[in-house]
Amino acid sequence: MIEDITIGRATARKKPGEFELTLDPRVTDPSSFKVSFLILLDGDLVMSPEHLGVAYMTSVLRAAGFTAEIREVEHGDASHAAAVDHLRAYQPDLLCFTLMSLNLTSCISLCQQLREVFPDTPIACGGPAGTFAGLDVLRNNPYADIVAVGEGEPTILDLVQRLYLQESLAECPGVCYRDAEGRVRQNPARPLIHDLEALPFPARDQLSQHGDKLEYVRVSTSRGCVANCTFCSAPHLNNRVQAGKAWRGRGPEQIVDEVAQIVERHQFRTFDFVDSTFEDPDGGRVGKKRAGAIAQGILDRGLDIYYNVCMRAENWHDTPEDHALLTLLTASGLEKVNVGIESGTAEELLLWEKRATVEDNVTIIRMLREHGIYLAMGFLPFHPYATVDSLIANAQFLRDNSGHNLRRMTERLEIYPGTSIVRRMEGEGLLAETYRENLDPYGYQFADERVGKLAWHFAQLYNNQDYHQHGVITDQSAVFEFETYNVVLQTFISRLQRRFGSLSGVDEVMDGFKNTVHELRQEMGQFNYTFFMSNLESVMNDVLDTDKQARQVVEVEEYFRDRLDRLRSEQLRVGKRLSRLGARVSEISSTLPPVLPGGLPRNYTGEGSGATW
């Protein structure tokens, strides 16, 4: 089917899913129109601020000749005030926010301040919250005028031209908006973009701003997902709001070109491939062939990089073929994998509609460990349907399979619009009023009140009011600090062995260090399990008092702080020993050194990580 795609009054005949950078001929001075994308650093973006959805939209607007900026806004009143001051000088024609459940309240607060300064400037929102709850966002945020639904690139290009021409939004697909009478309207959604290679590479403003302060740069090799996890709001088979294929991927050659460009222009070499599942579209022969081609392309281009991906447990088996692919991936730079393990019980895996079994989860944990790949595990022990028995079973599973991160044992489900688990909770009367009012990700009740009491208790143990009430990380307790450092520690090990394993004595030093780290992690796993079970028993028996809780905050902080100090001291000693063996530890940094020891510029040849608004 061919459809009319209208931009302003210029109409092009295009197939659904096609994207073209076309400009209405009446837009004669696009550079005079300024767009400001404001990234609220709440939730996960505190630690990894690069936002690909905004970066893609910025790149599209600039390619069409418009002026666009990306501005980060940290959590807190002072940062909001600073952003307003900057915007007074910038004088934008459109203000844009990307919304997630965790930053909705922060967005409303800043929008109120902006409306006072810019009474006539349109304020637009998008992102996952906008995609699945656009009308609710407009109702709950009286200062916003427009909400974009779904993939942002075609919508922002169309929207900006209509605003430039001062045209009505009544015919603009993919938006909710307030009409002239203030009524909330929703237009039909646009189709999904099928040819992702038609998009320009995303703007890397945040990388330029932060330099070597970023832990990694995000790269999207695909959009969509063929799974249907009940808690997930990423576009997948069961929650699509836009017509089109559930999964769309870019070719390996273009992906490697983008990575090479980042390395060459920014001297940065640590990446996070943000695909929902790296081995899609099928998790089998086709998807793994594509993953292997990306890895081989990295090696063929001599790109000495490191990267992270997401995988699904059921896609990996203890076979020679899968072990060979993991070997290829690690050789090309894979060092961390995020797997949505979610539970150690069959019943909860069914609740989440996970295709993996408990046995699949155990298998991938073991395989990643054998290949020296760090496992970043998704795990959801606390949720409205959790029971005392499921909590105990999950604590035992973690103790036996990577239990050194305490937060995994105490994690609470965050709920998002567009998910089937939210629809189920609503039907069973478990949604709280706070979810209906502001999409509170913890706005639900527990079927077993004792489980809810324990979840709240554990959340408070991190001594962080923002975290246990809103899930926002504003200061680092030792529990959070260890979690971050643990990744750094594992990559320190894997990078050194990859680069210097052939040097005499290096493997011996690293094997001893790995044994020390493993023993300490095992001890921490047992500590976490004992701590968890003690608190569970106290809460279940209603004998937990506030004085004990206050002591536990201190005890947990001191325990994790001590382990951090011990590991860092041992890491320092290992680094010195490796240096004496000829291993240049500085070579494993996320950024490339600007010059070689002789002063010559480094010639980077190597040494053989869905965009919605």
Side-chain angles (χ1 to χ4, degrees):
M1 174 182 176
I2 304 293
E3 67 173 12
D4 289 343
I5 303 296
T6 303
I7 299 178
R9 292 194 184 93
T11 302
R13 300 284 286 177
K14 299 198 298 185
K15 296 179 181 179
E18 286 187 350
F19 174 77
E20 294 179 2
L21 271 168
T22 56
L23 196 64
D24 189 302
R26 295 170 299 149
V27 180
T28 56
D29 185 15
S31 64
S32 66
F33 194 96
K34 298 179 182 179
V35 180
S36 182
F37 291 100
L38 302 173
I39 297 179
L40 299 172
L41 296 184
D42 299 278
D44 75 316
L45 292 178
V46 173
M47 302 303 295
S48 50
E50 196 185 36
H51 199 300
L52 271 189
V54 165
Y56 269 109
M57 288 187 292
T58 299
S59 183
V60 165
L61 289 179
R62 289 174 179 169
F66 294 98
T67 300
E69 70 156 8
I70 299 173
R71 174 151 295 272
E72 297 173 4
V73 183
E74 295 182 0
H75 187 74
D77 294 340
S79 297
H80 285 198
V84 173
D85 287 342
H86 162 79
L87 291 167
R88 280 196 181 97
Y90 185 71
Q91 286 296 304
D93 298 288
L94 175 64
L95 292 156
C96 299
F97 290 89
T98 296
L99 290 185
M100 294 164 286
S101 298
L102 289 173
N103 64 22
L104 186 60
T105 301
S106 181
C107 177
I108 294 173
S109 173
L110 182 53
C111 283
Q112 181 179 11
Q113 298 175 58
L114 292 171
R115 181 54 70 217
E116 294 172 359
V117 178
F118 304 103
D120 301 317
T121 302
I123 296 177
C125 301
T131 293
F132 294 108
L135 294 177
D136 289 335
V137 168
L138 284 179
R139 294 186 185 107
N140 292 325
N141 185 350
Y143 314 104
D145 306 291
I146 305 162
V147 173
V149 174
E151 293 178 322
E153 296 90 355
T155 298
I156 191 66
L157 183 58
D158 190 351
L159 174 63
V160 165
Q161 292 182 84
R162 291 177 187 274
L163 293 175
Y164 177 97
L165 297 169
Q166 298 183 348
E167 294 187 340
S168 167
L169 300 183
E171 303 299 324
C172 183
V175 299
C176 306
Y177 67 101
R178 301 184 199 277
D179 65 17
E181 288 74 39
R183 293 171 297 191
V184 174
R185 303 286 191 181
Q186 179 160 9
N187 293 341
R190 297 174 185 271
L192 292 163
I193 301 172
H194 283 171
D195 182 10
L196 299 181
E197 295 195 7
L199 296 170
F201 288 163
R204 295 294 174 180
D205 294 37
Q206 292 177 275
L207 175 56
S208 298
Q209 293 165 11
H210 289 286
D212 59 2
K213 294 180 181 178
L214 284 180
E215 289 297 322
Y216 48 75
V217 170
R218 289 173 164 165
V219 172
S220 173
T221 83
S222 68
R223 294 183 183 180
C225 185
V226 301
N228 56 359
C229 301
T230 60
F231 55 80
C232 184
S233 64
H236 58 70
L237 288 173
N238 282 358
N239 70 352
R240 280 175 292 173
V241 299
Q242 297 176 269
K245 299 176 182 177
W247 183 92
R248 296 138 292 140
R250 297 164 57 197
E253 184 175 354
Q254 196 204 47
I255 295 163
V256 176
D257 284 345
E258 181 183 359
V259 170
Q261 184 184 96
I262 292 170
V263 171
E264 292 160 4
R265 291 185 180 180
H266 301 278
Q267 291 75 53
F268 203 93
R269 56 174 173 176
T270 304
F271 297 87
D272 185 18
F273 291 159
V274 296
D275 317 288
S276 293
T277 305
F278 190 58
E279 65 274 19
D280 266 347
D282 62 347
R285 183 180 60 84
V286 174
K288 288 177 179 175
K289 181 179 179 181
R290 176 178 177 272
I294 295 170
Q296 191 60 54
I298 291 170
L299 292 170
D300 291 344
R301 293 281 289 273
L303 295 172
D304 183 15
I305 67 168
Y306 313 108
Y307 63 93
N308 316 321
V309 303
C310 295
M311 292 177 174
R312 293 203 308 275
E314 71 270 19
N315 294 336
W316 296 89
H317 310 285
D318 199 357
T319 63
E321 294 79 11
D322 280 1
H323 279 287
L325 178 55
L326 286 176
T327 297
L328 174 63
L329 292 171
T330 54
S332 69
L334 178 64
E335 61 181 3
K336 184 174 80 169
V337 170
N338 190 313
V339 182
I341 299 295
E342 315 310 355
S343 176
T345 76
E347 294 78 13
E348 286 181 319
L349 293 176
L350 289 174
L351 171 68
W352 307 130
E353 293 189 23
K354 301 292 291 186
R355 298 174 183 174
T357 64
V358 175
E359 291 73 23
D360 290 332
N361 288 337
V362 172
T363 295
I364 195 169
I365 291 171
R366 176 175 50 78
M367 290 178 68
L368 293 176
R369 183 180 296 128
E370 289 173 358
H371 287 268
I373 302 169
Y374 181 82
L375 169 66
M377 180 191 300
F379 210 74
L380 297 172
F382 284 94
H383 54 84
Y385 304 100
T387 66
V388 174
D389 288 342
S390 72
L391 291 176
I392 294 172
N394 280 322
Q396 292 171 341
F397 178 89
L398 288 174
R399 178 197 60 194
D400 299 336
N401 296 279
S402 188
H404 45 274
N405 281 334
L406 176 59
R407 201 154 61 103
R408 294 294 82 77
M409 285 188 182
T410 64
E411 199 79 71
R412 293 173 292 168
L413 170 71
E414 294 178 1
I415 56 174
Y416 310 119
T419 60
S420 57
I421 196 67
V422 166
R423 292 193 293 272
R424 174 174 172 173
M425 289 184 213
E426 186 170 29
E428 297 176 2
L430 293 175
L431 279 186
E433 197 60 34
T434 55
Y435 178 80
R436 297 183 178 89
E437 291 173 352
N438 57 22
L439 301 182
D440 175 11
Y442 301 116
Y444 55 82
Q445 300 168 352
F446 290 81
D448 186 333
E449 293 183 359
R450 299 173 302 167
V451 173
K453 184 177 180 180
L454 185 63
W456 182 253
H457 166 71
F458 278 128
Q460 293 179 88
L461 287 179
Y462 302 122
N463 200 21
N464 184 323
Q465 189 78 4
D466 278 318
Y467 178 75
H468 75 252
Q469 287 192 346
H470 309 297
V472 177
I473 303 171
T474 52
D475 62 72
Q476 289 263 44
S477 70
V479 171
F480 287 106
E481 191 174 338
F482 171 78
E483 191 170 337
T484 302
Y485 171 72
N486 195 41
V487 180
V488 175
L489 180 64
Q490 188 63 36
T491 55
F492 172 82
I493 293 170
S494 62
R495 292 181 185 186
L496 284 172
Q497 285 204 296
R498 173 185 166 193
R499 182 172 292 271
F500 300 113
S502 60
L503 288 178
S504 177
V506 167
D507 277 344
E508 181 181 353
V509 172
M510 294 307 299
D511 286 344
F513 184 46
K514 285 192 293 185
N515 288 335
T516 298
V517 171
H518 177 72
E519 290 173 3
L520 191 56
R521 285 173 175 165
Q522 291 293 104
E523 177 228 292
M524 295 180 75
Q526 185 60 51
F527 170 87
N528 292 341
Y529 175 74
T530 302
F531 170 77
F532 180 91
M533 293 301 296
S534 172
N535 278 273
L536 183 146
E537 182 178 351
S538 296
V539 171
M540 294 303 111
N541 295 326
D542 199 24
V543 295
L544 186 66
D545 58 67
T546 55
D547 289 340
K548 179 179 179 181
Q549 185 172 328
R551 290 195 303 273
Q552 285 184 324
V553 170
V554 176
E555 290 168 2
V556 169
E557 181 75 15
E558 290 178 347
Y559 178 84
F560 275 82
R561 182 66 56 195
D562 175 75
R563 272 56 186 178
L564 274 166
D565 291 343
R566 287 165 58 179
L567 285 169
R568 284 172 172 152
S569 296
E570 187 62 26
Q571 181 186 7
L572 183 61
R573 284 193 290 269
V574 166
K576 291 179 178 179
R577 291 182 63 188
L578 293 175
S579 296
R580 290 194 291 269
L581 294 172
R584 296 178 297 278
V585 178
S586 62
E587 290 188 11
I588 66 170
S589 64
S590 292
T591 56
L592 293 168
V595 295
L596 289 172
L600 298 175
R602 174 153 181 161
N603 179 19
Y604 191 76
T605 58
E607 292 186 5
S609 119
T612 56
W613 183 337

